[in-house]
Amino acid sequence: MPTAYLLLGSNLGDRVATLQAAIRHLTATAGTVTAASGLYATAAWGLEDQPAFLNQAVQLETSLTPLQLLAACQATEQQAGRERLVRWGARTLDVDILLYDHLALDLPHLQIPHPHLPERRFALVPLAEIAAATLHPPSGQTVARLLENCPDPLPVDPYNPAGH
C-alpha cells in the first residue's frame, strides 16, 4: 500500500482542534495515519501579515491514487470550513501532499513531491520528525538533508499551548 506524507496547517479558529479533526477525517476517508509529528508554531509563509500557523506532518498508508488523495485532502479542508479567498492567505485548514511513495508527478493541479518542499522550513521540520531518512524524488536527498540546506529563515518552534 502506498505511503503518503501530508502537511496539515491551520491559522484560524481553534487550530489544535482543527488539526485533530483533520486527522480523524483523513483516517475515515483516505487511509490509516501511521505516524504524526508534534505540532509546530510557524510564521506565515508567502503572505506574512496574518496569524501564526500550527503545522503537523502525518504519514498515511493509503489505497487511493494521488488524484483521489488530493480530492480527499480537499474534502477534509472543506469539512473544516476552508475558503480559498487569497493565495497563501489565512485559513482554517490546509492539507498538502508532500510526498507519495517515490513518485514524481507533474499535473496541472497536482505536483508530487510538493514543488516548494525544499524551501519551506515549516514543512520540513515536522516532516523530518517522522520521515528524516525518506528520499525526496527527484533530488535523491533525504528529508533531513533538505532541512539542513533549507534557505527559509522563518522560525519553526515546537508548539507550547501555554505560550500561545
Side-chain angles (χ1 to χ4, degrees), residues 50-144:
Q50 58 181 308
F53 275 83
L54 280 187
N55 287 109
Q56 181 176 36
V58 297
Q59 177 180 323
L60 181 76
E61 302 298 323
T62 184
S63 60
L64 300 180
T65 67
L67 287 173
Q68 290 169 331
L69 180 57
L70 176 62
C73 291
Q74 291 172 338
T76 300
E77 291 174 344
Q78 290 176 330
Q79 179 81 11
R82 166 87 186 254
E83 294 180 336
R84 294 177 184 274
L85 303 174
V86 177
R87 181 179 174 95
W88 296 323
R91 49 205 172 270
T92 54
L93 182 64
D94 190 32
V95 182
D96 288 333
I97 302 171
L98 300 178
L99 301 167
Y100 184 102
D101 268 351
H102 302 290
L103 184 66
L105 184 65
D106 189 6
L107 300 173
H109 299 293
L110 178 61
Q111 293 83 42
I112 298 174
H114 192 287
H116 298 293
L117 179 59
E119 63 205 45
R120 291 182 173 174
R121 185 171 302 281
F122 70 85
L124 288 168
V125 169
L127 182 60
E129 182 184 325
I130 61 171
T134 299
L135 294 179
H136 171 265
S139 76
Q141 296 182 47
T142 64
V143 170

